[in-house]
Amino acid sequence: MPPEPRTAIATVCLSGTLDDKLAAAAAAGFDGVELFENDLLVSPSSPAEIRRRCADLGLSIDLYQPFRDFEAVPPDLHAANLRRARHKLDVMAALGADTVLVCSSVSPHAVDDDDLAAEQLHALAEVAAGRGMKVAYEALAWGRHVSGYEHAWRIVRRAAHPALGLCLDSFHILSKGHDPAPIRAIPGEKIFFLQLADAPALPMDVLPWSRHHRLFPGQGDFDLTAFTGHVLAAGYRGPLSLEVFNDVFRQADPRPAAVDAMRSLLTLKESLGLLDLPPAPAPAGHAFAEVVTDPGAGRVLATLGFARTGVHRTKPVELWEQGDARVVVNESGAAHGAVGAVALAVPDPVRAARRAEALLAPVLPRTRGPREADLAAVAAPDGTEVFLCGNDDWRGDFVPTGETADGAGIIGIDHVALTQPFDHFEAAASFYRAVFGLTPSPVTEFAAPYGLVRTRGVAAGNVRLTLDSTVVRRGEWAPAVPEPQHVAFACTDAVAAAEAMRALGAPLLDIPGNYYDDLEARLDLPPSRLAALRANSVLYDRDSHGEFLHFTTALAGARVFFEVVQRIGGYRGFGVVNAPVRMAAHRARRNAGLPLGTLA
Amino acid sequence: MPPEPRTAIATVCLSGTLDDKLAAAAAAGFDGVELFENDLLVSPSSPAEIRRRCADLGLSIDLYQPFRDFEAVPPDLHAANLRRARHKLDVMAALGADTVLVCSSVSPHAVDDDDLAAEQLHALAEVAAGRGMKVAYEALAWGRHVSGYEHAWRIVRRAAHPALGLCLDSFHILSKGHDPAPIRAIPGEKIFFLQLADAPALPMDVLPWSRHHRLFPGQGDFDLTAFTGHVLAAGYRGPLSLEVFNDVFRQADPRPAAVDAMRSLLTLKESLGLLDLPPAPAPAGHAFAEVVTDPGAGRVLATLGFARTGVHRTKPVELWEQGDARVVVNESGAAHGAVGAVALAVPDPVRAARRAEALLAPVLPRTRGPREADLAAVAAPDGTEVFLCGNDDWRGDFVPTGETADGAGIIGIDHVALTQPFDHFEAAASFYRAVFGLTPSPVTEFAAPYGLVRTRGVAAGNVRLTLDSTVVRRGEWAPAVPEPQHVAFACTDAVAAAEAMRALGAPLLDIPGNYYDDLEARLDLPPSRLAALRANSVLYDRDSHGEFLHFTTALAGARVFFEVVQRIGGYRGFGVVNAPVRMAAHRARRNAGLPLGTLA
């Protein structure tokens, strides 16, 4: 295995003051930072103090950036630029930083003259070299005359100064569709710095795309593994450094954001064969799901045909089962609310927990499982607990009740819907992908009654989670509680299940007739099928692979409800198109004075 | 004056369930709605119930929309489309809606054949006509074969059916740079519907631009007055209807959003000469500003050279003055916090209040001014009170103290900074523009320590306000109090004022040396000037018109501070480039345990 590269993060990736950012970067395990100039300018600490602070935190300052609009200008401006540069090199000396990033000019004063650009960059490199410093020249995707890395490399080669090299930024190269393979032919020692950013494919100009929508590696549509592979193949031995401008990351708590950033780099290293981690656990299915709620959820499960099969030895916690669906109902407090835990059946929980820990997932103390259970638990970014179960020993916590029920057609857990705070949406998908090997589906967006909701699934085999981003609502318009989460159970005949559950008194949501009138207008469903859906308030969707029938209960607690789904053929989605209907029906029920899982 | 057109709003503009949207539209005074199909589908009310609800609210349903992917398809698909259309026309009959919007097709099955499109639309119109209904055909900017209104008009003309006409949407036309003037040549009776939306000029594909970034008329970069003028000149006599897809409006409280929407239409009507309102008041300056705070703000003003010239007859409210700067300090409660009121000197308060009321600004009861004062007050969207003062009679509320002070160079109020909740940012600018005739400057964005902040000024003559959008921060990262607001005082020598105020013990913010090192590197300021700025923690900016020197106090209450500014030459901005420095300095002071306006 080649040597593991150092890691760095640009301070501009994170929210807060420079102190906040440095502390967060160090806590997440970064080796160094790119110091973004604005973070320095607003800091009450002197460069020398910042140098000491970084040293105390174990952080190097690997890059000072950005230095703008330098090359290829008339002589008087060149003199002013050199004067400006000397000031900045002084600051860098005090900081203990030895490399400055020079972005290709966007100035109207710059001329299209590679010889002049090379000459002036040579002059700057000479000044830097006199102080033992280096200049890393980068082609901005929107540079006035230099906007591609191959062009920047021609200028650097022409300047031919040992203190002048390239900075390569994956976004600037991949956003323009430039082929990164020729990077392999650049001598590694002339690549002074490597900045990594992913991004979703967006149909917009490259500048606002870059300034607002960058993501950490693995979160977007670029192939960062291939890109970084080319740079390492060229012989680059500097840090892998993240430079991600993202509107949400910029306002989110920098501590989890830095962890998310580092997790993306660790996963990138793994994909490059630079880091040896225990493999992702390939979960076989949902061992169980835990809902945390006020008393009531258990009664709702009974109306869905579940039996209360166990009672916790010491806590107000019950185990409910039907088929292979197992739900732990924790009535000990609704503070955390909603889905408290997802439990994945994995072949080797200890090994899976080792991977999770290496990927910075907090491993939770095993206060709740019996000592002998083959079990581990880690925390997701939003605090949801993820249990890793090697076998059924976790049942040892529960005293069997001997209770049984006839069931109502549920055969297992289909998926768990983990509504996310808006600023955990990207990190949540990255977490489940990196730690457990679940594959995220593309992000889609739907118009919910209260705003646009972004959603994606993460899945592997029979384990499926959905991650919806909640809408920010403010003031009197803010909801009393955040959007609910839910557990969706699988069945083989949704209509029959709905009928059976209604007979048991299940508080199922009523779906408006307008919805079925639209189905009738749009689709060629057999009339008897449509009538059965309508009569039972069962929702319908289809894709090119198959069909999806589903229905939901009223809220069975402040922030949780249950869903029953039937997949026909190879349907791959989660009925997202019907989510607005469900949300409005929950609201209608609340308006009718039936806030929780009032039984019929 | 021509007849005043009716007004309508598409339900998709607003947040909430259909009930929420209809109630908000009616309360804001709209005559009708465009019913967006998804709002119907998720509604628990039947079409007949919705019809009654609208009638009860005094709303007509002027359009049912959208009907997609109809024209120019193979025969079997055409038959299915007609079947689908008959279902929707049935729904419309129950709703009492007589016009359906058909958008130009984006289907891969559609062919580029105007004859076929005309033939199939003719067939649809024939079906509609049989029920007394009409079809309004609209060219989507991203339609597969039909993407311009002139093309849509050729097809409608070719179809030659009395029940087939055009729907014109300002966004689809103006976003593509199409000339709207030829609309004048279209017979008005063939324009069945007019949808109005503004938008900022954004460098992105037209589809995401349309789906996420539309604005109400007057809030963006399109000339809606000219556009609407062409349509009216053609003889269109239908409603002016808003169709605005905007991510923020979709999640904001629909009640103020509908008011904002209606205000934009009223202003548009005024600009078209269709509505006769009292003119905007042309304020001469700031009569005073009121800050609501816990005890302490007054002491800070004393250190800025203000004298406490009056004490309110009945309340814990003081008047402080220096030069023409007057500040009312309301220590009666910090609940509202920050800037409580701006008071504008206007020639005719009663007339100005009549305009405000006509533009849906709540006119506040005059509980606080003396009966005889020539004074009115209205509420801005965020609750800030705007007083309209015809003279100085408002001083009658205060018992003169006889106190004087030597002053420290302040000559008046330069501007008041009204930090806005993120979902009031557009509405606030529209409010001050429409009601008081202040001109908004373009929106700019700056990278603050805690995220990107959007900002703009609104100004006329000597009245200037700034509107910053606050960053949404969540969980542990949420600030203890929202971003502060402030009152900025004008002086003619900022350095001298800062020196004088420091001598008086003013709690001025210390600005980091790094900031001045950067000024030195970037600008060619005379060394003595730079030294004076640095020694006094005075910030500096310049534009092509002049220079700007400014400094601020520490927080003088939970959410308010003061600024002192000096404009040199014709500088037009507000020193936005320095806002991040100020924000970080406030944070540094808080970290140092000096949260409020602790005196030096």
Side-chain angles (χ1 to χ4, degrees):
Chain A
M1 189 173 287
E4 191 183 332
R6 300 174 68 256
T7 56
I9 184 168
T11 54
V12 74
C13 301
L14 302 171
S15 190
T17 62
L18 183 56
D19 264 357
D20 298 326
K21 296 172 185 218
L22 295 176
F30 283 94
D31 300 310
V33 295
E34 302 177 29
L35 185 57
F36 203 69
E37 183 169 81
N38 270 18
D39 287 316
L40 169 69
L41 301 192
V42 308
S43 170
S45 305
S46 71
E49 287 166 342
I50 292 167
R51 176 188 199 151
R52 280 195 297 277
R53 176 75 181 139
C54 286
D56 289 346
L57 290 166
L59 293 169
S60 53
I61 301 178
D62 294 313
L63 190 73
Y64 185 83
Q65 68 125 319
F67 192 81
R68 298 190 189 277
D69 296 335
F70 179 82
E71 80 281 16
V73 290
D76 56 330
L77 209 47
H78 178 56
N81 280 345
L82 276 178
R83 175 183 162 281
R84 176 163 62 101
R86 283 194 186 90
H87 274 282
K88 297 302 180 185
L89 295 170
D90 288 347
V91 170
M92 287 168 57
L95 286 165
D98 71 356
T99 307
V100 61
L101 172 69
V102 173
C103 318
S104 63
S105 182
V106 298
S107 164
H109 303 297
V111 294
D112 188 7
D113 182 338
D114 286 1
D115 284 333
L116 184 62
E119 180 190 319
Q120 294 184 346
L121 285 166
H122 185 283
L124 176 61
E126 188 65 21
V127 174
R131 305 173 190 220
M133 293 179 182
K134 294 183 295 183
V135 175
Y137 180 58
E138 172 187 67
L140 293 179
W142 54 88
R144 185 166 156 80
H145 302 297
V146 179
S147 59
Y149 77 91
E150 293 184 287
H151 190 179
W153 170 230
R154 286 197 301 275
I155 292 171
V156 166
R157 223 167 15 183
R158 194 166 307 187
H161 193 290
L164 179 69
L166 281 181
C167 174
L168 298 178
D169 178 313
S170 60
F171 181 89
H172 290 301
I173 295 167
L174 301 176
S175 66
K176 299 196 72 168
H178 291 169
D179 178 8
I183 291 172
R184 302 175 87 93
I186 299 173
E189 70 276 9
K190 293 303 279 183
I191 304 173
F192 283 4
F193 210 75
L194 172 62
Q195 294 178 313
L196 297 174
D198 204 340
L202 290 177
M204 55 165 57
D205 273 15
V206 72
L207 196 150
W209 186 16
S210 172
R211 292 268 171 88
H212 299 283
H213 300 287
R214 290 187 178 205
L215 294 169
F216 294 125
Q219 295 179 335
D221 293 320
F222 295 160
D223 185 347
L224 270 294
T225 301
F227 178 86
T228 311
H230 294 313
V231 180
L232 296 177
Y236 174 72
R237 291 294 173 266
L240 305 183
S241 187
L242 299 170
E243 190 198 29
V244 170
F245 306 92
N246 179 290
D247 288 3
V248 173
F249 300 169
R250 280 181 109 133
Q251 65 196 56
D253 190 329
R255 293 158 295 190
V259 168
D260 180 40
M262 176 54 89
R263 185 175 294 132
S264 86
L265 268 190
L266 294 172
T267 313
L268 177 67
K269 283 185 181 178
E270 184 186 31
S271 73
L272 286 160
L274 298 170
L275 185 62
D276 194 17
L277 297 178
H286 293 271
F288 65 87
E290 177 184 304
V291 297
V292 181
T293 178
D294 19 303
R299 282 189 309 146
V300 173
L301 286 170
T303 67
L304 302 183
F306 279 75
R308 194 183 61 150
T309 56
V311 173
H312 196 278
R313 298 185 182 281
T314 57
K315 296 174 188 166
V317 174
E318 300 173 339
L319 174 62
W320 290 75
E321 295 188 69
Q322 182 177 182
D324 281 330
R326 290 167 289 273
V327 181
V328 171
V329 177
N330 184 340
E331 297 181 343
S332 66
H336 181 77
V339 172
V342 291
L344 309 181
V346 300
D348 187 339
V350 172
R351 196 176 64 177
R354 283 215 325 274
R355 177 181 179 83
E357 190 160 28
L359 289 170
L360 309 180
V363 174
L364 301 172
R366 288 170 47 189
T367 54
R368 304 198 308 176
R371 262 246 180 71
E372 59 285 354
D374 190 8
L375 188 78
V378 301
D382 69 342
T384 301
E385 297 180 11
V386 183
F387 286 96
L388 302 161
C389 306
N391 52 36
D392 277 354
D393 287 354
W394 57 272
R395 287 169 177 277
D397 274 3
F398 296 91
V399 181
T401 61
E403 293 176 22
T404 59
D406 290 339
I410 286 173
I411 55 174
I413 291 177
D414 182 86
H415 66 276
V416 181
L418 298 171
T419 314
Q420 296 291 307
F422 78 96
D423 53 1
H424 279 174
F425 183 70
E426 296 294 348
S430 296
F431 169 82
Y432 290 107
R433 179 177 64 90
V435 175
F436 306 114
L438 307 188
T439 304
S441 57
V443 176
T444 58
E445 200 170 56
F446 65 88
Y450 301 105
L452 295 178
V453 174
R454 302 176 73 212
T455 183
R456 75 192 316 171
V458 290
N462 286 321
V463 170
R464 300 180 196 88
L465 307 174
T466 61
L467 307 168
D468 284 4
S469 172
T470 52
V471 169
V472 176
R473 290 162 62 194
R474 203 190 52 79
E476 292 177 29
W477 193 239
V481 292
E483 276 299 317
Q485 301 184 323
H486 71 271
V487 180
F489 304 115
C491 73
T492 54
D493 185 338
V495 169
E499 282 173 353
M501 292 170 185
R502 278 196 197 274
L504 290 168
L508 302 187
L509 272 191
D510 290 329
I511 299 303
N514 303 327
Y515 170 82
Y516 296 99
D517 294 344
D518 180 62
L519 279 191
E520 187 175 356
R522 283 193 297 118
L523 306 177
D524 51 356
L525 290 176
S528 61
R529 163 60 79 83
L530 185 68
L533 297 175
R534 188 191 291 263
N536 291 284
S537 280
V538 174
L539 300 161
Y540 180 84
D541 189 27
R542 65 187 181 197
D543 63 14
S544 56
H545 307 286
E547 295 173 295
F548 191 63
L549 279 65
H550 57 135
F551 60 92
T552 62
T553 69
L555 289 178
R559 279 194 64 207
V560 71
F561 64 91
F562 301 107
E563 183 177 23
V564 179
V565 316
Q566 176 190 359
R567 293 179 185 273
I568 300 173
Y571 179 87
R572 296 185 181 176
F574 299 92
V576 161
V577 67
N578 296 321
V581 188
R582 190 267 302 161
M583 291 169 151
H586 270 136
R587 162 73 183 269
R589 196 175 165 95
R590 198 160 67 239
N591 285 356
L594 300 167
L596 296 187
T598 314
L599 302 190
Chain B
M1 187 172 291
E4 192 182 330
R6 300 174 69 256
T7 56
I9 184 167
T11 54
V12 74
C13 300
L14 300 171
S15 190
T17 62
L18 182 57
D19 264 357
D20 298 325
K21 296 172 186 221
L22 295 176
F30 282 94
D31 300 310
V33 295
E34 302 177 27
L35 185 57
F36 203 69
E37 183 168 81
N38 269 18
D39 287 315
L40 170 69
L41 301 192
V42 309
S43 170
S45 305
S46 71
E49 287 166 342
I50 292 167
R51 176 186 200 155
R52 280 196 296 277
R53 176 74 181 140
C54 286
D56 288 347
L57 290 167
L59 292 170
S60 53
I61 301 178
D62 294 313
L63 189 74
Y64 185 82
Q65 69 126 318
F67 192 81
R68 297 189 190 278
D69 295 336
F70 179 82
E71 80 281 16
V73 291
D76 57 330
L77 209 47
H78 178 55
N81 280 345
L82 277 180
R83 175 183 162 280
R84 177 163 61 101
R86 284 194 186 91
H87 274 282
K88 297 304 180 185
L89 294 171
D90 289 346
V91 170
M92 287 170 57
L95 286 165
D98 71 356
T99 307
V100 60
L101 173 69
V102 173
C103 318
S104 62
S105 182
V106 299
S107 164
H109 303 298
V111 294
D112 188 6
D113 182 338
D114 286 1
D115 285 331
L116 184 62
E119 180 189 320
Q120 295 186 347
L121 285 166
H122 185 283
L124 177 62
E126 188 64 22
V127 174
R131 305 173 190 219
M133 293 181 182
K134 295 183 294 182
V135 175
Y137 180 58
E138 172 187 67
L140 292 179
W142 53 88
R144 185 166 157 80
H145 302 296
V146 179
S147 59
Y149 77 92
E150 292 184 288
H151 190 179
W153 171 228
R154 285 197 302 275
I155 292 172
V156 166
R157 223 167 17 184
R158 194 165 307 188
H161 193 291
L164 179 69
L166 281 180
C167 174
L168 298 178
D169 178 314
S170 60
F171 181 89
H172 289 301
I173 294 167
L174 300 176
S175 66
K176 299 196 73 167
H178 292 169
D179 179 7
I183 291 172
R184 302 174 86 94
I186 300 174
E189 70 276 9
K190 294 303 279 184
I191 303 174
F192 284 3
F193 210 77
L194 171 62
Q195 295 178 312
L196 297 174
D198 204 341
L202 290 177
M204 55 165 57
D205 273 15
V206 73
L207 196 150
W209 185 16
S210 173
R211 292 268 171 88
H212 299 283
H213 300 287
R214 290 186 178 206
L215 293 170
F216 294 124
Q219 295 179 335
D221 292 321
F222 294 159
D223 185 347
L224 270 293
T225 301
F227 177 85
T228 310
H230 294 313
V231 180
L232 295 177
Y236 173 72
R237 291 295 173 262
L240 305 183
S241 187
L242 299 169
E243 191 198 30
V244 170
F245 306 92
N246 179 290
D247 288 3
V248 174
F249 300 169
R250 280 182 110 134
Q251 65 196 57
D253 190 330
R255 292 158 295 189
V259 168
D260 180 39
M262 178 52 90
R263 185 175 292 131
S264 86
L265 269 190
L266 294 172
T267 314
L268 178 66
K269 283 185 183 179
E270 184 186 31
S271 73
L272 287 159
L274 299 170
L275 184 63
D276 194 17
L277 298 178
H286 293 270
F288 64 88
E290 176 184 305
V291 297
V292 181
T293 177
D294 20 302
R299 284 187 310 146
V300 172
L301 287 170
T303 67
L304 302 183
F306 279 75
R308 193 183 61 151
T309 56
V311 174
H312 196 278
R313 296 186 182 280
T314 57
K315 296 174 187 166
V317 174
E318 299 173 340
L319 174 62
W320 290 75
E321 295 188 68
Q322 182 177 181
D324 282 329
R326 291 167 289 272
V327 181
V328 169
V329 177
N330 184 339
E331 296 180 345
S332 67
H336 182 76
V339 172
V342 292
L344 309 181
V346 300
D348 186 339
V350 172
R351 196 175 66 177
R354 283 215 326 273
R355 176 181 179 82
E357 191 161 25
L359 290 169
L360 309 180
V363 175
L364 301 171
R366 286 169 49 187
T367 53
R368 304 199 309 175
R371 263 249 179 68
E372 60 285 351
D374 190 9
L375 188 78
V378 300
D382 70 339
T384 301
E385 297 179 10
V386 183
F387 286 97
L388 301 161
C389 306
N391 53 38
D392 277 355
D393 287 354
W394 57 270
R395 288 168 175 278
D397 272 4
F398 297 90
V399 180
T401 62
E403 292 177 21
T404 59
D406 289 340
I410 285 174
I411 55 174
I413 290 178
D414 182 85
H415 66 276
V416 181
L418 297 171
T419 313
Q420 295 292 308
F422 78 97
D423 53 1
H424 280 172
F425 183 70
E426 296 294 348
S430 296
F431 169 83
Y432 290 107
R433 178 176 65 89
V435 175
F436 306 113
L438 307 187
T439 304
S441 57
V443 176
T444 58
E445 199 171 57
F446 64 87
Y450 300 105
L452 296 178
V453 174
R454 303 176 73 213
T455 183
R456 75 192 316 170
V458 288
N462 286 320
V463 170
R464 300 180 196 89
L465 306 173
T466 62
L467 306 168
D468 284 3
S469 171
T470 52
V471 169
V472 175
R473 289 162 62 194
R474 205 191 50 78
E476 290 177 30
W477 193 238
V481 292
E483 277 296 316
Q485 301 183 322
H486 71 272
V487 180
F489 304 115
C491 74
T492 54
D493 185 338
V495 168
E499 283 173 351
M501 291 170 185
R502 279 196 196 274
L504 290 168
L508 302 187
L509 272 191
D510 290 330
I511 299 303
N514 303 328
Y515 171 82
Y516 296 98
D517 294 344
D518 180 62
L519 280 191
E520 187 174 357
R522 283 192 296 120
L523 307 176
D524 52 355
L525 290 174
S528 62
R529 160 61 78 83
L530 186 68
L533 296 176
R534 187 191 291 264
N536 290 285
S537 280
V538 174
L539 300 160
Y540 180 84
D541 188 26
R542 64 186 180 198
D543 62 15
S544 56
H545 308 286
E547 294 174 294
F548 191 63
L549 278 67
H550 58 135
F551 60 92
T552 62
T553 68
L555 288 178
R559 280 194 63 205
V560 72
F561 64 91
F562 301 106
E563 183 177 22
V564 179
V565 315
Q566 176 190 1
R567 293 178 185 273
I568 302 174
Y571 178 88
R572 296 184 181 177
F574 298 93
V576 161
V577 67
N578 296 322
V581 188
R582 190 268 301 161
M583 290 170 152
H586 270 137
R587 162 73 183 268
R589 196 175 165 96
R590 200 159 67 237
N591 285 355
L594 299 167
L596 297 187
T598 315
L599 303 189

